[in-house]
Every structure is written in structure tokens, then in C-alpha cells.
């Protein structure tokens, strides 16, 4: 029998996956919330996303089962939420479940009072008792019984938990005194943060901690920059080891490029195969910085291959980027990506022996009797052992990969999550700009500029929206969307010299201050002030898979305060960082972007102005250099509108480069070599 529920009219691929479940699912909205109050039924909210493997498992086991659906429909008003469409709701109810159980994840299943307040929840529940977990049916009956017969206890639990979530907003938030600020912004604290990161370093396989291992790009970025500032060798060693092991591992797709979300083992061999847009954006960023620091061409090779994957698989016709590729194919995780040795022998013929030796392909396989393609060490170290010339070997391996890619394309492909998210697209614009800086590939810049035009056209409809699909933009944009978008405008200006991007960034920052500021006008709420369908207005401080919107806003305000000479924005950025300062220093792995904000404030920003006819060419050369703490503007002539460009003298066709701090500039120079000299002699 074909069922159809209320999700059929949604645009989210995740919600549409559940539109024909026998469960009477509703999207989050007034209809479901009103019905729960009218019928006095608790809400069962199930949250996931389209590329989530265990979400698919629970759907097959429970949500497609008619007997289970009957219980859910009888006892609850059932709501499905795509966590990527509604991260605000996901944050609230994830925090609630973590407080109740000590852990979280997806699928997230949480039970609410009709008022939307959580009182019980968990993640994956099996159809029968297993893994020391009650079955889903047992949970449904127990929660129904508690709500029917222990209402006062349930209500008290919900009220207490909601109050706890509201109080959690005050974590680490105190407006610092001037003396406290001075005590935070010093180099000893930056060194302590690096040491605290390195305490958890895996010095054999790279990364931090044990499996499951996430790339932690923000932490790696901090270590790269820390080395840049003080030449701290352990920081560089661990950062590059981590990057190298990631790009050698199975988490990287050696056939077509692109990164999976995380590794399930310490060696980066076995990924969780879903590919997320934001992971690839952040990895392109950190690979770009690694190349700027080392000039190692392996990093630009991976950048190029990953961008080709993004262009082929995730760039849509209107110039926006899709969200994700699923982990599963034909209901099996990773099936699209793995190989038997017989398959490779048949496809590659006489080249199979070389390919299998390089990529550790065996008859028995390295994962569930199949082979994940990976490198156990650097390619350049393996080739001499095989008496192979590097150039010829790379050509042969490239031919092998092309043949495997062609064969793989005939398989059933993983599902594509084709919704387009404002914030994630802004992160990818930032990545394309960074990639352009290190490769000078004009196509990358063109794609970034086309994407920002697309976002402005499709998302800025009666205010900025969070998500777009099939011509429809939905849900007011969240803090992260605005923060990443401002960052993208800043980055676009840095690589083009187009001052219009800065003006747009300033306007957006003003909107964020007006609509998201907390009562102390220090931090920012995740949701806008006029949003009414949430029980708690949260402030997100931690860096998760993507950087904290508050951390990125601190960076944005600090940067724009220099561009437009707005002292109050600089003061606010400093107070944001200082108020969390000791927490950042103690737990830098959870506050990686915040740690970089501390770095910039402590080390000071290099204010660079390039004025004259050749400004764009010189800008391109300067952007290839590793100057992570820079603010840079380029213009054909001086401009009174921007303090950094004001009163800059350019004679005839001569282009001048000014290095400034607090708008006080050294004598201008006319060559990159001279600029590098004065930059190198400035004390950090």
C-alpha cells in the first residue's frame, strides 16, 4: 500500500525521503504544534539529514514498519525535521538529549510537551532490544505511559530542562575589564593553546584523539599560523602530518577528488562515506594555507582535484552549490566507492599490478572484503622502491584512475541532497577565493563571483533566507548564514579589489548587530529577534563541523572595524574574544576559529594598501604569500571613503604598496620584493 503524509509538499530531500512512510509525519510548523495542543498529545520530533546512514537504517527498520507507525500515530503528533534546514531546532533538541543521556547524534528522536518543551529523547533506537538499547516500540509505549499517568513529573522534567538550556547561554560570558583583556591577548596564551592542542595529537597517523576522527581543519589552521608567527616546529609538524595523512587516506576520494565527512578508524582508512559541501570548503581552505606555507605541490594537486569534484557533482546550473552526497548506494554504505581486486585487475589489465601495489589493494581487501583506495605513505616515497620515474608513474596512475572513474560512473550513484544552503555556499565561495589565490586559476574566481550573484538573486527575498530549492527560498537566515556571507564578501574583496563587496559586508554586519545581538550587546543569538517558533533562543559558542557564527562575527567585526574605522566594532570583537579567552586557551580544539581570532588580535593585523594602475596584478601576487593576519585593499587611486586608501599618493602609472598598522604607514614601496622585506622586518 502506498502511503503519503504531510511531508509530500516539502522541498528538503530528507523530508521527501519520508513522505511515503506509514507514519503520519508533519513538517515543523503551526499545523502540527496546534494539533498537539488540541489533542493533548506529546510531540515526537525526529531529526536527521539526507546523507545520514543511521537515519536511513532507522527509517527502514521502524518508520516503514506499519505496526510501529500505528503506535507512533496513535500516541504522538510526529514531526520530521531536516537538521540542515532547521539548525536552530536541531541545536535546541540536541542539547536537550545530550543533557539527558550524555551523548547525541543523528537520527535524533526527542519527545516534547505540546508546548514544544523536551522531556525525553535519544538517538538511534533498534526495532528489537540490541546494543544495550531498548527497542523503539518499547520507548514509544513507555513515553506514552509516562505522559498519560505521570503528567506532573513529565511537565516538571520539561520545565527544568528548558530552563537549563536557557541558562546554558550564560556559559563563559562576562564582559571583561581592560586589565583582563590585556591578560588574554599575549603570546604566552597562544603558545599555551598550541600546547593544549598538541597534548591530544596522534603523532603517528595525524589528527587529534582517537577514532572516529574528524579533519578538525580549524585546529590545523591554528597550528599552521602559530608556526608562521613564532616558528614553533611541533605545531608545523603535527599540522602537516595531519593534512598528509588525511589526503593519503580513504577519507579522500583518490579516484575523483573530494573528502568524506570523517574516518571511523585512527588511520583515516575507512570513512563515513557521505560527502558534505562544508567539509570540502574548509579542507580547501586549510590546504591553501598549507601550500602558501610550504609550496608543496601535492596540496595544490588535491585542491584542483577536489574543486573538479565540486564542479562536477555539486555545482548546479544556476551557480549555487548543492549540500551533500549520501553515504549509501543501493542501501549499502560505501558500495559506490569500494572495489574487489578482481574488478581492478579486469579494468586495468597490465597496469593493475602497479596500481594495487601503490594503493594497497589485496585479494582479501582492507574493509569488509572490499578495498578502499588509499596510500599508506607519501607517493614519492613509494615510487623509488618500485624503481619508477615519478613523472611516468603519475601519468600511468592518472590513466588508471580515469578508467576506474569511468567504470564507477556506471554504478548506482549515491543520492544527492540538492537543496542549497546560504551559509554553506558562502563557505565554498571563500574556499574558491582561497584556491584562486594559490593557483591563479581564473575559473575559480569566476565561479565564486557567479555564486555570490546567485545568492543575492535567490536568497535575498524579503530579507535573507537560509535555504533554496526549486525556485523557493525558505526560513529566515540564521547567524551562521550571515557570518559566513560577510566573510565571503570580505574574501571576494581581497582577491578582486572590488570595494562594493566591503560595503555589502558592512551593511550585513549592521543587520546582524540590529537583529541578533544579546541583551548585553556582546554576543549574538543564533536566531533573529522576531522568530517565534522556538522555546529557547540559543547562543552557539563552540566550533563544530563548521566554525561558530559568533567566532566568525568577531573576526568580521574586527576586520571591518579597520576598513571603516569603527572603534565600537573593534571593541566588541576584542571583548567577545576576551570574555571566552581562558576557555579558548584551555580547550582550543573546541574553539579553533576563536583561537585564530585571538591570534589576529594578539599578533596584530598587517594593513596593506595597493594603489595604482597595476594594483590588481600586485594584489594577486601578494595573495599568494602567506600573510594570515592581513587586511588588504587595492584601488586604482586613493579613496576618501576608506581610511586605508585615504591620502595615498600615486605618481603617474607607478603602483605603490603601503604597509600600515592603526593607519600609520611605512614608506610605500613599488615592488613585491621590497614589500616582503619590510613585512619581514616588522616585529610580530
Amino acid at each position: 500500500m502506498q502511503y503519503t503524509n504531510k511531508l509530500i509538499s516539502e522541498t528538503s530531500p530528507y523530508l521527501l525521503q519520508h513522505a511515503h512512510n506509514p507514519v503520519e509525519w508533519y513538517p515543523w510548523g503551526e499545523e502540527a504544534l496546534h494539533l498537539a495542543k488540541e489533542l493533548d498529545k506529546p510531540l515526537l520530533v525526529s531529526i536527521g539529514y539526507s546523507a545520514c546512514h543511521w537515519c536511513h537504517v532507522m527509517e527502514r527498520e521502524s518508520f516503514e514498519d506499519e505496526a510501529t507507525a500505528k503506535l507512533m500515530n496513535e500516541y504522538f503528533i510526529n514531526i520530521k525535521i531536516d537538521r540542515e534546514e532547521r539548525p536552530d531546532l536541531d541545536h535546541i533538541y540536541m542539547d536537550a538529549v545530550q543533557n539527558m543521556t550524555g551523548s547525541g547524534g543523528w537520527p535524533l528522536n526527542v519527545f516534547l510537551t505540546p508546548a514544544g518543551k523536551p522531556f525525553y529523547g535519544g538517538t538511534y533506537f533498534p526495532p528489537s532490544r540490541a546494543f544495550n538499547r531498548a527497542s523503539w516500540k518499547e520507548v514509544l509505549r513507555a513515553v506514552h505511559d509516562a505522559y498519560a499517568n505521570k503528567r506532573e513529573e513529565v511537565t516538571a522534567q520539561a520545565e527544568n530542562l528548558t530552563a537549563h538550556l536557557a541558562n546554558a547561554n550564560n556559559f563563559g560570558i562576562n564582559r571583561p575589564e581592560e586589565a583582563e583583556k590585556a591578560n588574554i591577548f599575549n603570546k604566552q596564551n597562544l603558545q599555551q593553546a598550541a600546547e593544549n592542542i598538541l597534548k591530544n595529537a596522534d603523532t603517528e597517523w595525524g589528527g587529534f584523539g582517537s577514532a572516529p576522527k574528524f579533519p578538525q581543519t580549524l585546529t590545523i589552521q591554528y597550528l599552521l599560523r602559530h608556526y608562521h608567527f613564532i616558528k614553533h616546529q611541533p605545531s608545523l609538524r603535527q599540522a602537516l602530518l595531519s593534512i598528509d595523512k588525511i589526503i593519503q587516506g580513504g577519507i579522500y576520494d583518490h579516484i575523483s577528488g573530494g573528502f568524506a565527512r570523517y574516518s571511523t578508524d585512527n588511520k583515516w582508512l575507512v570513512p563515513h562515506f557521505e560527502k558534505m559541501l562544508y567539509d570540502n570548503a574548509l579542507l580547501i581552505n586549510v590546504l591553501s594555507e598549507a601550500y602558501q606555507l610550504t609550496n608543496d605541490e601535492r596540496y595544490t594537486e588535491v585542491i584542483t582535484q577536489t574543486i573538479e569534484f565540486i564542479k562536477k557533482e555539486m555545482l548546479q546550473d544556476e551557480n549555487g552549490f548543492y549540500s551533500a552526497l549520501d553515504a549509501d548506494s543501493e542501501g549499502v554504505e560505501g558500495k559506490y566507492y569500494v572495489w574487489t581486486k578482481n574488478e581492478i585487475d579486469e579494468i586495468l589489465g597490465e597496469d593493475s599490478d602497479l596500481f594495487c601495489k601503490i594503493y594497497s589493494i589485496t585479494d582479501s581487501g582492507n574493509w569488509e572484503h572490499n578495498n578502499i583506495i588509499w596510500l599508506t605513505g607519501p607517493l614519492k616515497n613509494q615510487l623509488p622502491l618500485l624503481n619508477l620515474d615519478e613523472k611516468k608513474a603519475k601519468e600511468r596512475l592518472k590513466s588508471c584512475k580515469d578508467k576506474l572513474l569511468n567504470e564507477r560512473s556506471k554504478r548506482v550513484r549515491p543520492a544527492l541532497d540538492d537543496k542549497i544552503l546560504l551559509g554553506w555556499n558562502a563557505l565554498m565561495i571563500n574556499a574558491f577565493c582561497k584556491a584562486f589565490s594559490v593557483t591563479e586559476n581564473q575559473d575559480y574566481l569566476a565561479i565564486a563571483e557567479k555564486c555570490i550573484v546567485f545568492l543575492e538573486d535567490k536568497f535575498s527575498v524579503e530579507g535573507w533566507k537560509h535555504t533554496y530549492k526549486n525556485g523557493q527560498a525558505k526560513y529566515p537566515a540564521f547567524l551562521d548564514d550571515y557570518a559566513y556571507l560577510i566573510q565571503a564578501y570580505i574574501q571576494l574583496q581581497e582577491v578582486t579589489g572590488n570595494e562594493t563587496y566591503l560595503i555589502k559586508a558592512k551593511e550585513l554586519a549592521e543587520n546582524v548587530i540590529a537583529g541578533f545581538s544579546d541583551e548585553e550587546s556582546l554576543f549574538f543569538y543564533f536566531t533573529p529577534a522576531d522568530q517565534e517558533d522556538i522555546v529557547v533562543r540559543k547562543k552557539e559558542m563552540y566550533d563544530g563541523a563548521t566554525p561558530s557564527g559568533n567566532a566568525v562575527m568577531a573576526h568580521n567585526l574586527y576586520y571591518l572595524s579597520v576598513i571603516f574605522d569603527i572603534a565600537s566594532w573593534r571593541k566588541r570583537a576584542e571583548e567577545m574574544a576576551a570574555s571566552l579567552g581562558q576557555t579558548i586557551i584551555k580547550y582550543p580544539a573546541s574553539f579553533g576559529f576563536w583561537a585564530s581570532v585571538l591570534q589576529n588580535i594578539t599578533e596584530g593585523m598587517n594593513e596593506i594598501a595597493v594603489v595604482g594602475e597595476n594594483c590588481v596584478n600586485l594584489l594577486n601576487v601578494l595573495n599568494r604569500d602567506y600573510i594570515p593576519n592581513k587586511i588588504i585593499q587595492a584601488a586604482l587611486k586613493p579613496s576618501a571613503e576608506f581610511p586605508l586608501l585615504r591620502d595615498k599618493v600615486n605618481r603617474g602609472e607607478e603602483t605603490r604598496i603601503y604597509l600600515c598598522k592603526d593607519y600609520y604607514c611605512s614608506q610605500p614601496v613599488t615592488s613585491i620584493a621590497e614589500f616582503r622585506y619590510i613585512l619581514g622586518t616588522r616585529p610580530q
Side-chain angles (χ1 to χ4, degrees), residues 565-607:
D565 194 14
I566 305 175
S568 62
W569 287 12
R570 177 169 183 157
K571 183 173 185 287
R572 182 168 183 170
E574 290 174 345
E575 288 184 341
M576 290 171 74
S579 67
L580 287 174
Q582 290 301 332
T583 306
I584 297 167
I585 295 157
K586 192 172 182 180
Y587 305 106
S590 298
F591 296 89
F593 198 96
W594 280 111
S596 292
V597 173
L598 283 184
Q599 270 180 327
N600 283 343
I601 295 173
T602 302
E603 300 289 350
M605 301 298 285
N606 292 300
E607 302 160 18

Side-chain angles (χ1 to χ4, degrees), residues 14 34 48 54 109 151 203 289 291 308 466 493 504 519 525 570 683:
Y14 176 67
H34 175 76
W54 285 101
N109 295 290
R151 182 70 62 89
T203 56
E289 293 201 19
Y291 176 74
E308 288 306 307
H466 172 66
Q493 184 278 150
K504 291 178 178 179
E519 294 77 7
Y525 286 107
R570 177 169 183 157

